[in-house]
Structure formats: structure tokens, C-alpha cells
RNA sequence: GGGCGGUUAGCUCAGUUGGUAGAGCGCAACAUUGACGUUGUUGAUGCCGGGGGUUCGAAUCCCUCACCGCCCACCA
């Protein structure tokens, strides 16, 4: 017997060595798998951001994906798990900028585009290497030869190809839209970069002029020089008589044309019940203006200075203009009320500047526009409605449908896929490659083509993830009879991802795949919850309550960490994880180890276990065990990983070890020869079956034990013994 | 304001189609030179959030209330 078995199980000594054996076997690559394997099983990894290191959430996702892939590989499928990392555009840029600011007190404008990109690149590469090492540590059986990065050349080509296609289909267009502008940082910022601060502010109630019939309230009188309407609720009796009327007036030296309109968005009980509509500088007013076809003049520029008016306000800061306008209102006797209120002011996370909503030229995707008899929204709806795509848990379909109408804005940042559009005067050129008569051509004298400085939001490229990782668009062209990756492995089977990104990512993958391939990207989506600490708090740096998966793997073994995390929750619900729980599964690994020692010690003369040597009562024991494995199989197929693990754990410890093995002791000592042989065979059959069934959960210790078993069941059928990872799943 | 969850043993959570409530951890007592103390045996603890309904029968289905949490929008 192997000497290692005489000591307690030592994951530190085992896991890295086992992983190396797997990698060297080549079995992570589906082409190398033994036997005839026709049916594919594909998972594409949600690419972790290259902004740092893996956390417990990644460990959960990685474990479940590996569990499924190992399960299906053992079931004889052509199992492919494609790994990758994400450039995480805004998060990465932001992280690097923060670091540089901290260490060198320089902004990105000090560095310039080139230098910043270089720095980001170095950071991203280091972060990438860390992440890959960590994935391996967890036992991830990915095909590393197919690894992808969301910002590499293959993905970039896919992005440009799709962009061009959408542009030509009229699904991508350019238009004005209000963005959150940070005048201090001179940049657009996304919703999650906004910090709300409670501040005291004055709310002013006034009329535009003496002849104007309705008073309005605002905390920002200076924006009122951009007003084009006053909106009231359609059922507001006070104002019904005015709806539809239009007024020309002069407000603090600015000529305004104000139309009275009725709109349901207006709250009758807020202020005077009438809303002065400033289309260009308020999200909601913009929407109202769109509905009522109102002009949307911009009156505040990118430096938060006034663009209109006379010397009292022109080129003044908004705050100064506000004072001037309030003074004017007072002098004209138009101000009826001044009230102090507390309001939430949006500020930029990075610079602390107050966010100024401004209209900007943006690229859009037209989700409701018809093309080839459908719309992008229809594509997203139908795939889930028709049951082609199955959500686990099912209730997320409700959330999905409820939110399908919301698409987020593009973000304009420097780190990402450049928009493949070039401008020359009024000409616009969109293609996969730059225009030939570009900046360096003979035609340059007519003026150079300039590429759009913006980059696409990360979701544009990640939306293509399932098929851009499988070779599209090259494979589509290269396909001449021989099956390629895209044909073989797409649509993928299961996506395992956090529920937080159902809209950011899942919906967009469905949309982009439907658009590009007229396929679904995956059949199943399994949503994981958030992994929290023992007290239910989110893991965070500031709380210092993080459980680092790598520390866990070092301390208790990756197997213990995997098992604990699988057992800590079901689909779509947040789970709580504590070190105690992980410790418990380290004990489990050791229990299996000790059981193996006992069985090998007591079945030394047994070569290959044989079902026909069993007594009737022992046969019954094996059948009971097989029934459990059958249940477990069904549980995994239906994504009840927790239940599957629980059943195996319970059976192994409290039936196999505590009952069957305990009872075997008497038989081995005092039983008849026949009984002895029978129990020996029984022990080995159950052990081997359990080791196989446990492999997807705790791959390292099971593989190690497998290597110590004298003869596998396969060997009895005349086949050479092979790695457990490619053994067949027990029937 | 719109939407989605949750409420089961001290704690964390399971409970697949309605059929006398489960696990882990924790707790208590006992055992033991055993494959394993990273052990075993035994045990205690539940009006399954409140109320109503359907049913022979409800933790499970329906209605309603309460509390907790999350997501999105908005805050003139």
C-alpha cells in the first residue's frame, strides 16, 4: 500500500502535483479525450476582470463550472471549457488612474493617452497572470490553449465586424443624449461612479415674468435660461386652462419661448405642481422634451459655465449665475418663496466634482428598430419566452422581462475597443479597417480621416463572448466542409454567472448572438448569488472581512474550499461562508482518505472487485448506493449542486463509513470465507463508485486516491487504467 | 414610484410533484489504544413570520397583513 496513506491527507503536498498531471495529460483539450465523443458540452467562462485577484465570488463560479465540466467529461461528452479574462474597461482604467494619482500625483491628462495605455497594459498583464495561477489552484480544468482576452486581436476583429454590420443595418446611430458630465475631471462618468451627497440647498419658487401665469420651483434657477416648456400633470385642475398655450418672454436678459404642456411624469404635489422643463440639463426634462417635440438648447458648457445671456451671467460659473439670477428675480419681484431643503447632489467619485448633466454626441444601439423582420428587443425576448434559454432559478425570467427595455448608455473612455468609425469633415466612414485614403495616403491633402476617439463599453465585446471565443468571424469564412469550433461547440450549454449582471451581460449576449448568428448563446443560465461572510455582510476591503480563496486553498486545500462553497447555497441566493464550514470539509477529505486506508488494508488480496461475488444482502447495499448516485446525477443535471453534494456527503460519512464499514469489521474477523469475500468486494465497489461520484466536487483528493487503487473497474474490462478525470461516470 | 426575493432548530440553510419536519455547525452526556480524536454512540431544541382560504391532509397551493433584503427609475 502507498505509504502516503499512512499519514493524514495532505492537500498542500497533493494538489499542485495532481493539477500538473492533469495538464500534462492533455485532457483539458476536448480533442485529446479518449474514446468516441460526439456530443459536445461547452462552457465559456465569464471572464474575470483584470483588475486584481480572484475573490470568493469567482471561486464559486469557477467551482460550479468545473464541477459541470468534469461531470460531463466523465459522462463521455466532448467537454470544452474556454477560459478568458476581461479588460473591464472602466474599472481597469479607473484603478490604474487612481494608483498613478496616488503614487505620482499625476492625472491621465498629464500622462497622455499613449502612456496611460502602456501603464494599463502592464497592470492588466500582471493581473492576468495572477488570475490564471489562481484558477489553476482551484482546479479549473479549462482548455488553456483556447484562452481569450476581451481586448485581444481576435476579439477586436469580432467587435469591428459586428459594429460595421450593425451600422450598415442602421442599428447603430449617432445622436445627442444627456450624459453625466464631470466638469472637474472633464469626462463622462457612469452611474456607478456617482456618489450621492446630502447637501443643504435653497429651493426657489418664482415666475419667469410678471405676465406668466404659473409659478415653478427649482434649486437651480440658472438653468432656467434653457427652459422651453412648463409641464403640469394632465389632471391638475389648477393648470388645465393653460395647457397648450405658448408664451414669449424675457428671463434675466434671455429670450425664452415657453409652451405649457401636460405630462403624467409631473408630480402634482411637488412644489407648485408645475415643472419648468430644461431639456438639455436634466435627464427627466430631456425625456419630456422628446415626448413633446420641444427644442433642447444647451446653456451650460463642459466647464460648467453659462453659454447664454448678457454680462450678468454669460461665461460665469453656474453657481455665480445662480446668485445673479436670484438677485434679478428679487429686483423684479418675481420670487415668491425661498426654502432650505436637503437634497442629494450627484458628485463624481474620483474628483468629487458636482456632476453636470449635458447633452453629448453618443453612439446608440436602436433596440426597437426593425430589421429582417425583427428587432433586437424581440431577439432578447423570444429566446427566453420561447423556452430556448432556461434560467436557473426560473424566477429571474421575470426580472429579465421587466428590465429588457433598459439599455445603458455608451461610455466614453480610453481603454477599450476603439469605435471603428472615421470622420473627415462631414463624411463618416465605418468599416472593419481604417479607410485606405487615410491620414497617410496621397489623398491626405483633402484632409485626414480621424478615428472616433471613443471606445466601446466593455459589454459590447463581452456580448460576443460565446462566439468570439470560438473563432468567429474567421471560422465562418474558413468553414468549407470541415467542422470548426463554432459549428462544433456553439451554442454553448450552460453559462454560470452572478445574477448582478443579468442585464449588463446576459441580456446583451442573447441580443448580440441572436443578431450575429441567429442562434442563442447558451441553453441554460445558472445564476449564482453573492458570497457573504458568516454574518451576511459583503466581503469588502474596508471591512477587512474577506476570505481569500488562495489562503483557503493553502490552509485547507482547494477541495475543502470547493466543497464548502458548493454546499453554502443554491441558485440565485446569496450564500454565507465561514472558515468553520471549510474546515469541516477538510475533515471530509481526510475521512475519505482514512476510509481508503482501511479498505485497502483489508482488501489486500483482492485484485479487481466483482459484483458476482456478493451475497444478496451486500448486493442490496450496492444497489442502495447506486440509487443515491442516480439521484445525484439527476440533481447535477438539474443544477441542484447543493443537494447532490449533500447526498454524497451524507451517504459517504453516515452510511458507508459509520454503518457499512463498522459492520464489515465483524465480518472480516469472524465471517465465513464467502462472507469475507463478499464484503471485501462490496467495500471496494462502493469506494470506487463514490470516488468517481465525488470527483467533480473534490477533484484533487479523489484523483490522488484513484491513483492508489490497485485496479480500476475499467481494467477489469481489459482497458488500461486511466486518470479519474476521464473515467466514466457511475451508472 | 416600479419590480424581484426572503421569513423553517441557538446560528447558517435544505426541503424537487401537498402525505406524520431535515442537514451542517453549535450544545449536552457517554465511549474509545479502533481506518480516522480531522472519531464514534445517544440526546435536547421547531404553533415552518401573523391571519384567512382550498383540501381527507398545507412549510409546500390561493388571498391578506407584517417585517427584512435586493434591483431599477426618480428626487424639478
Amino acid at each position: 500500500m502507498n505509504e502516503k496513506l499512512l499519514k493524514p491527507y495532505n492537500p498542500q503536498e497533493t494538489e499542485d502535483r495532481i493539477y500538473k498531471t492533469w495538464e500534462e495529460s492533455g485532457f483539458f483539450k476536448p480533442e485529446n479525450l479518449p474514446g468516441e465523443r460526439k456530443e459536445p458540452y461547452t462552457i465559456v467562462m465569464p471572464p474575470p476582470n483584470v483588475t486584481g485577484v480572484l475573490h470568493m465570488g469567482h471561486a464559486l463560479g469557477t467551482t460550479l463550472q468545473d464541477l459541470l465540466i468534469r461531470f460531463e467529461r466523465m459522462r463521455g461528452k466532448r467537454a470544452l471549457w474556454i477560459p478568458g479574462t476581461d479588460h473591464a474597461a472602466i474599472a481597469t482604467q479607473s484603478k490604474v488612474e487612481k494608483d498613478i494619482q496616488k503614487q505620482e500625483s499625476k492625472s491621465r491628462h498629464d500622462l497622455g493617452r499613449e502612456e496611460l495605455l502602456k501603464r494599463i497594459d502592464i497592470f492588466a498583464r500582471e493581473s492576468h497572470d495572477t488570475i490564471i495561477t489562481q484558477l489553476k489552484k482551484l482546479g479549473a480544468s479549462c482548455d488553456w490553449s483556447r484562452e481569450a482576452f476581451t481586448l485581444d486581436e481576435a476579439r477586436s476583429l469580432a467587435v469591428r465586424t459586428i459594429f460595421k454590420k450593425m451600422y450598415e443595418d442602421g442599428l447603430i446611430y449617432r445622436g445627442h443624449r444627456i450624459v453625466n458630465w464631470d466638469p472637474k475631471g472633464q469626462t463622462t462618468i457612469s452611474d456607478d461612479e456617482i456618489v450621492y451627497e446630502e447637501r443643504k440647498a435653497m429651493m426657489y419658487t418664482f415666475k419667469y415674468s410678471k405676465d406668466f401665469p404659473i409659478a415653478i420651483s427649482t434649486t437651480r434657477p440658472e438653468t432656467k435660461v434653457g427652459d422651453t416648456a412648463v409641464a403640469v400633470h394632465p389632471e391638475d385642475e389648477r393648470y388645465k386652462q393653460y395647457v397648450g398655450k405658448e408664451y414669449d418672454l424675457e428671463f434675466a436678459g434671455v429670450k425664452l419661448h415657453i409652451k405649457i404642456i401636460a405630462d403624467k411624469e409631473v408630480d402634482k404635489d411637488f412644489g407648485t405642481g408645475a415643472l419648468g422643463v430644461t431639456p438639455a440639463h436634466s435627464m427627466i426634462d430631456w425625456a419630456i422634451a422628446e415626448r413633446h417635440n420641444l427644442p433642447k438648447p444647451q446653456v451650460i458648457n463642459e466647464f460648467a459655465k453659462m453659454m447664454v445671456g448678457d454680462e450678468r451671467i454669460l461665461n460665469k460659473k453656474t453657481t455665480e449665475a445662480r446668485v445673479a439670477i436670484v438677485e434679478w428675480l428679487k429686483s423684479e419681484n418675481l420670487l415668491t418663496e425661498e426654502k432650505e431643503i436637503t437634497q442629494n447632489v450627484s458628485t463624481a467619485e474620483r474628483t468629487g466634482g458636482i456632476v453636470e448633466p449635458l447633452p453629448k454626441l453618443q453612439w446608440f444601439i436602436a433596440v426597437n428598430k426593425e430589421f429582417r423582420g425583427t428587432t433586437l428587443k424581440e431577439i432578447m425576448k423570444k429566446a427566453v419566452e420561447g423556452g430556448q434559454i432556461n434560467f436557473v432559478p426560473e424566477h429571474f425570467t421575470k426580472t429579465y422581462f421587466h428590465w429588457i427595455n433598459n439599455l445603458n448608455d455608451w461610455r466614453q473612455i480610453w481603454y477599450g475597443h476603439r469605435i471603428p468609425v472615421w470622420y473627415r469633415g462631414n463624411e463618416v466612414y465605418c468599416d472593419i479597417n481604417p479607410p485606405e485614403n487615410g491620414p497617410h495616403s496621397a489623398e491626405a491633402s483633402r484632409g485626414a480621416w480621424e478615428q472616433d476617439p471613443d471606445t466601446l463599453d466593455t459589454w459590447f465585446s463581452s456580448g460576443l463572448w460565446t462566439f468570439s471565443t470560438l473563432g468567429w468571424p474567421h471560422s465562418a469564412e474558413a468553414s468549407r466542409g470541415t467542422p470548426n469550433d463554432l459549428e462544433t461547440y456553439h451554442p454553448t450549454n450552460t453559462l454560470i454567472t452572478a445574477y448582478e449582471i443579468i442585464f449588463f451581460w446576459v441580456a446583451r449576449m442573447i441580443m448580440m448572438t441572436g443578431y450575429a448568428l441567429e442562434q442563442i448563446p447558451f441553453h441554460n443560465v445558472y445564476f449564482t448569488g453573492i458570497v457573504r461572510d458568516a454574518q451576511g455582510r459583503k466581503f469588502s476591503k474596508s471591512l477587512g472581512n474577506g476570505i481569500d480563496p488562495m489562503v483557503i486553498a493553502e490552509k485547507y486545500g482547494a477541495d475543502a474550499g470547493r466543497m464548502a462553497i458548493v454546499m453554502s447555497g443554491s441558485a440565485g441566493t446569496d450564500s454565507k461562508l465561514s472558515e468553520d464550514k471549510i474546515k469541516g470539509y477538510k475533515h471530509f477529505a481526510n475521512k475519505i482518505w482514512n476510509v481508503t486506508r482501511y479498505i485497502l488494508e483489508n482488501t489486500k488480496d483482492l485484485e479487481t472487485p466483482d459484483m458476482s461475488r456478493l451475497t444478496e444482502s451486500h448486493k442490496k447495499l450496492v444497489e442502495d448506493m447506486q440509487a443515491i448516485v442516480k439521484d445525484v446525477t439527476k440533481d447535477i443535471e438539474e443544477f441542484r449542486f447543493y443537494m447532490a453534494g449533500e447526498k454524497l456527503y451524507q451517504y459517504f460519512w453516515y452510511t458507508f463509513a459509520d454503518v457499512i464499514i463498522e459492520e464489515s469489521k465483524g465480518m472480516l474477523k469472524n465471517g465465513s470465507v464467502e462472507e469475507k469475500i463478499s464484503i471485501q468486494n462490496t467495500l471496494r465497489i462502493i469506494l470506487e463508485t463514490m470516488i468517481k461520484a465525488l470527483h467533480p466536487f473534490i477533484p484533487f483528493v479523489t484523483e490522488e486516491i484513484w491513483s492508489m487503487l490497485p485496479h480500476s473497474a475499467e481494467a477489469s474490462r481489459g482497458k488500461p487504467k486511466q486518470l479519474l478525470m476521464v473515467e466514466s461516470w457511475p451508472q
Side-chain angles (χ1 to χ4, degrees), chain A residues 373-498:
Chain A
T374 185
T375 66
L376 294 173
K377 204 174 267 186
E378 276 301 302
I379 287 174
M380 289 191 275
K381 260 189 202 156
K382 278 189 179 152
V384 178
E385 227 167 38
Q388 289 184 74
I389 297 176
N390 167 40
F391 283 176
V392 183
E394 194 264 334
H395 71 76
F396 276 112
T397 52
K398 291 184 200 166
T399 316
Y400 179 80
F401 288 128
H402 185 255
W403 285 109
I404 216 153
N405 296 328
N406 293 329
L407 276 181
N408 276 37
D409 298 353
W410 299 99
R411 293 169 193 171
Q412 306 186 24
I413 54 167
W414 289 354
Y415 181 55
H417 293 284
R418 273 299 269 284
I419 290 174
V421 171
W422 288 260
Y423 308 101
R424 183 170 66 183
N426 290 327
E427 291 174 274
V428 178
Y429 181 89
C430 173
D431 202 349
I432 295 167
N433 295 307
E436 276 186 16
N437 47 352
H440 306 293
S441 74
E443 262 194 80
S445 56
R446 277 180 48 194
W449 287 98
E450 292 272 357
Q451 185 169 8
D452 194 305
D454 291 347
T455 56
L456 296 167
D457 185 87
T458 172
W459 71 258
F460 194 98
S461 50
S462 56
L464 321 178
W465 194 236
T466 60
F467 57 94
S468 71
T469 51
L470 286 167
W472 189 92
H474 277 319
S475 54
E477 297 154 17
S479 156
R480 297 277 186 273
T482 49
N484 55 51
D485 271 9
L486 190 67
E487 283 169 9
T488 309
Y489 297 108
H490 204 275
T492 69
N493 291 78
T494 303
L495 176 76
I496 293 186
T497 191

Side-chain angles (χ1 to χ4, degrees), chain A residues 67 72 93 360 381 396 407 456 523 560 567 605 617 645 723:
Chain A
L67 195 159
E72 298 294 356
Q93 178 174 337
K360 282 247 157 202
K381 260 189 202 156
F396 276 112
L407 276 181
L456 296 167
H523 295 287
M567 304 293 272
D605 41 348
S617 62
L723 285 176

Side-chain angles (χ1 to χ4, degrees), chain A residues 192 408 411 459 462 500-508:
Chain A
D192 42 270
N408 276 37
R411 293 169 193 171
W459 71 258
S462 56
E500 302 158 282
I501 54 173
I502 179 165
F503 304 113
F504 283 113
W505 196 38
V506 176
R508 274 134 192 189

Side-chain angles (χ1 to χ4, degrees), chain A residues 284-305:
Chain A
I284 182 169
D285 293 10
W286 181 273
I288 292 173
E290 292 261 284
R291 281 199 287 276
H292 296 272
N293 251 326
L294 300 167
K296 310 180 196 86
Q298 182 176 351
V299 295
I300 297 168
N301 69 15
E302 295 177 6
F303 302 96
K305 287 183 176 165

